Amino acid sequence: MQSDLIQQKNKKKLIKNFEKVFGSNKNLSVFFAPGRINIIGEHIDYCGGKVLPAAIDKGTFVVISPSSKKYFSCFSKNENDLVNFTSKEISAKYPIFWVRYLMGVLQHLQTKTKISPCNIYIEGNLPLESGLSSSASLLLVLSWALQYLSDFRYNENDFENRKQTALVCQKIENQFIGLQCGIMDQAVVALAKQNNVMLLDCEKFELEWLECNLGEDTFLIVNSNKPRSLIESKYNQRKQETDQCLLWLQRKMQITSLAGIPTEQLEEALSFIPVKTLQKRLKHQVTENQRVKLAYQQIAAKDNIGLGKTLKESHLSLRENYEVTGKELDLIFDYSIQNKSVKGVRMTGAGFAGCLIVLLPKNEVENYQNQIQGKYQAATGLKLSFYSTTFTQGVRKI
Ligand code: ADP
Ligand code: MG
């Protein structure tokens, strides 16, 4: 497997980097968790919808070793920060924000088993706060490494263990970090299969796999390089708005989640929502669920033209009904649809800024990049980054 060859190469370098911070050590283990793109089904995981993500071969590496000290030591290369803390200092209000992800994992594991002090080196090659789920990647790789080190429920090949770890990481993000996210990111980072997209029913936690063969086309990731903070962004507000919609609708309809509203009942459901803005939120929820079904069929049928059209419709709904796209993502969308070789484009992840995915022929990637870079730079003063996609498997020891 080519992606694992690359990781074996990385391993030596990672160990060297660990040793620069913590000194040499024979008892080292190395782990990797991928990031992800979401092909379609955006902002519907926290409303029980079905989503269609895939893990990518960029992610977060952790090198870990037991330590004889009385405190935990962790270093993030991305943050260029070495932090030491004792078990007593673990808190959701810890002043260094990124350390809270590790503390959330430790706090949870400490209720299950004994976790002894250790040295942890973290290095990611995903852009942070950009919609490719560096947060779930970080949480899963830390959980996996610490479960391994403490010999707690560690089993590389056990579906149930991966599922439970994903659920715990979602809880940490909800309760420790303060982001009311759904289960999509953690589930795909934990469970992804190589070359596959994952159809996940977020209400029932049921999965279906679909091999993704795009033929002459590919998904290119475009990073607007305009980061955003989800905690400060309107993410939690959207969650509250949809909770309110559900409350109103449950007085009139027999549903357990917004995903339970069939497209045919959209007009009726809208008539039960007294606030115009929330009608738009509901419209996105119901139509996006429908688009996920359609996109799944289009990937299965290798209908890339149809798939591209569905992706564009998704972006437009996120822009007009859900209002989570923002100036930079819309500019890139508008430039992209003017390019004749582009079959489809949409924001991926929570939005507000961050990344988009573009479906286009492999041999047009370079032309597209050249064309769009100049226009975007002239309009915003920002430079785009581009990443190719290979769909990889979930968190693992390497
Ligand atoms: P996304 O998941 O889209 O990348 P989030 O805002 O959910 O964006 O999570 C990003 C946060 O996760 C960062 O601000 C940082 O606190 C933390 N994080 C992710 N990767 C790393 C890393 N390699 N080192 C330190 N912190 C990280
Ligand atoms: Mg995140």
Side-chain angles (χ1 to χ4, degrees), residues 34-40 42 51-58 126 131-133 184-185 188-189 196-198 212 214 218-222 346-349 355-358 387-391:
R36 63 101 190 89
I37 56 169
N38 184 23
I39 291 167
I40 198 159
E42 213 63 83
V51 293
L52 201 62
I56 56 176
D57 64 355
K58 279 185 180 298
L126 284 167
L132 302 182
S133 206
M184 171 172 77
D185 295 357
V188 68
V189 173
N196 276 251
V197 295
M198 174 175 159
C212 186
L214 297 169
T218 188
F219 281 118
L220 178 74
I221 299 171
V222 181
R346 64 180 288 277
M347 54 159 263
T348 194
C355 292
L356 302 92
I357 51 170
V358 183
Y387 322 115
S388 59
T389 49
T390 302
F391 294 161

Side-chain angles (χ1 to χ4, degrees), residues 75-232:
F75 177 82
S76 161
K77 184 164 185 236
N78 304 76
E79 301 283 348
N80 193 21
D81 201 5
L82 174 67
V83 181
N84 299 320
F85 61 89
T86 61
S87 277
K88 282 196 189 120
E89 288 176 84
I90 291 178
S91 155
K93 296 206 165 73
Y94 194 74
I96 304 170
F97 186 77
W98 68 268
V99 182
R100 293 183 196 170
Y101 291 86
L102 170 60
M103 289 185 162
V105 175
L106 285 170
Q107 191 183 62
H108 169 79
L109 280 173
Q110 281 175 341
T111 63
K112 307 281 173 194
T113 183
K114 184 174 157 41
I115 305 280
S116 304
C118 49
N119 295 325
I120 301 174
Y121 173 86
I122 300 165
E123 182 177 329
N125 55 11
L126 284 167
L128 311 191
E129 297 177 6
S130 301
L132 302 182
S133 206
S134 70
S135 61
S137 177
L138 178 64
L139 282 169
L140 263 300
V141 75
L142 288 170
S143 297
W144 221 232
L146 286 161
Q147 284 181 34
Y148 176 84
L149 207 69
S150 59
D151 204 15
F152 170 71
R153 221 171 51 185
Y154 186 82
N155 182 341
E156 280 274 326
N157 300 315
D158 181 41
F159 173 84
E160 198 51 36
N161 182 31
R162 285 176 179 269
K163 177 178 164 183
Q164 289 310 324
T165 307
L167 287 166
V168 164
C169 288
Q170 182 202 11
K171 211 162 127 191
I172 294 168
E173 219 159 327
N174 291 165
Q175 296 175 358
F176 217 85
I177 304 298
L179 183 73
Q180 299 311 313
C181 60
I183 187 62
M184 171 172 77
D185 295 357
Q186 299 79 10
V188 68
V189 173
L191 287 153
K193 266 193 199 174
Q194 198 163 26
N195 299 329
N196 276 251
V197 295
M198 174 175 159
L199 181 70
L200 171 70
D201 181 322
C202 298
E203 192 174 18
K204 302 192 191 112
F205 208 119
E206 283 172 1
L207 316 178
E208 274 175 60
W209 297 105
L210 178 63
E211 200 167 322
C212 186
N213 179 358
L214 297 169
E216 63 168 18
D217 294 329
T218 188
F219 281 118
L220 178 74
I221 299 171
V222 181
N223 185 354
S224 67
N225 280 317
K226 170 88 183 174
R228 50 92 191 109
S229 165
L230 280 182
I231 316 297
E232 290 151 28

Side-chain angles (χ1 to χ4, degrees), residues 115-390:
I115 305 280
S116 304
C118 49
N119 295 325
I120 301 174
Y121 173 86
I122 300 165
E123 182 177 329
N125 55 11
L126 284 167
L128 311 191
E129 297 177 6
S130 301
L132 302 182
S133 206
S134 70
S135 61
S137 177
L138 178 64
L139 282 169
L140 263 300
V141 75
L142 288 170
S143 297
W144 221 232
L146 286 161
Q147 284 181 34
Y148 176 84
L149 207 69
S150 59
D151 204 15
F152 170 71
R153 221 171 51 185
Y154 186 82
N155 182 341
E156 280 274 326
N157 300 315
D158 181 41
F159 173 84
E160 198 51 36
N161 182 31
R162 285 176 179 269
K163 177 178 164 183
Q164 289 310 324
T165 307
L167 287 166
V168 164
C169 288
Q170 182 202 11
K171 211 162 127 191
I172 294 168
E173 219 159 327
N174 291 165
Q175 296 175 358
F176 217 85
I177 304 298
L179 183 73
Q180 299 311 313
C181 60
I183 187 62
M184 171 172 77
D185 295 357
Q186 299 79 10
V188 68
V189 173
L191 287 153
K193 266 193 199 174
Q194 198 163 26
N195 299 329
N196 276 251
V197 295
M198 174 175 159
L199 181 70
L200 171 70
D201 181 322
C202 298
E203 192 174 18
K204 302 192 191 112
F205 208 119
E206 283 172 1
L207 316 178
E208 274 175 60
W209 297 105
L210 178 63
E211 200 167 322
C212 186
N213 179 358
L214 297 169
E216 63 168 18
D217 294 329
T218 188
F219 281 118
L220 178 74
I221 299 171
V222 181
N223 185 354
S224 67
N225 280 317
K226 170 88 183 174
R228 50 92 191 109
S229 165
L230 280 182
I231 316 297
E232 290 151 28
S233 75
K234 299 216 153 52
Y235 191 97
N236 287 344
Q237 189 186 327
R238 292 292 175 277
K239 167 79 169 83
Q240 283 160 14
E241 288 168 345
T242 50
D243 286 348
Q244 179 61 60
C245 286
L246 184 63
L247 278 177
W248 279 325
L249 290 171
Q250 281 179 324
R251 292 187 198 150
K252 308 277 185 184
M253 300 168 102
Q254 289 277 320
I255 50 169
T256 52
S257 72
L258 294 186
I261 304 167
T263 322
E264 310 81 72
Q265 281 178 30
L266 173 60
E267 287 309 316
E268 188 194 358
L270 287 173
S271 72
F272 300 139
I273 305 290
V275 179
K276 236 191 157 79
T277 315
L278 298 205
Q279 286 179 355
K280 293 205 290 183
R281 308 298 185 245
L282 179 65
K283 197 167 171 197
H284 171 72
Q285 288 290 330
V286 176
T287 57
E288 186 76 352
N289 277 312
Q290 185 58 26
R291 283 187 288 270
V292 173
K293 276 189 209 158
L294 197 61
Y296 182 90
Q297 290 159 5
Q298 286 161 333
I299 294 174
K302 301 194 175 22
D303 173 13
N304 293 1
I305 303 259
L307 176 64
K309 199 166 157 268
T310 311
L311 299 180
K312 287 186 262 183
E313 281 163 9
S314 168
H315 186 94
L316 289 173
S317 176
L318 287 156
R319 176 177 182 159
E320 280 148 29
N321 297 321
Y322 223 64
E323 298 177 280
V324 291
T325 50
K327 177 180 144 217
E328 290 77 14
L329 296 182
D330 287 334
L331 261 182
I332 300 166
F333 177 87
D334 291 341
Y335 294 151
S336 300
I337 56 172
Q338 285 161 19
N339 183 312
K340 293 226 159 34
S341 64
V342 168
K343 293 196 170 94
V345 49
R346 64 180 288 277
M347 54 159 263
T348 194
F352 306 104
C355 292
L356 302 92
I357 51 170
V358 183
L359 179 66
L360 78 175
K362 288 172 200 157
N363 62 11
E364 291 287 348
V365 166
E366 211 178 311
N367 278 342
Y368 165 81
Q369 289 179 186
N370 291 338
Q371 203 186 67
I372 195 165
Q373 182 70 275
K375 278 192 198 172
Y376 182 71
Q377 220 170 331
T380 62
L382 295 167
K383 214 171 159 195
L384 298 169
S385 306
F386 302 98
Y387 322 115
S388 59
T389 49
T390 302

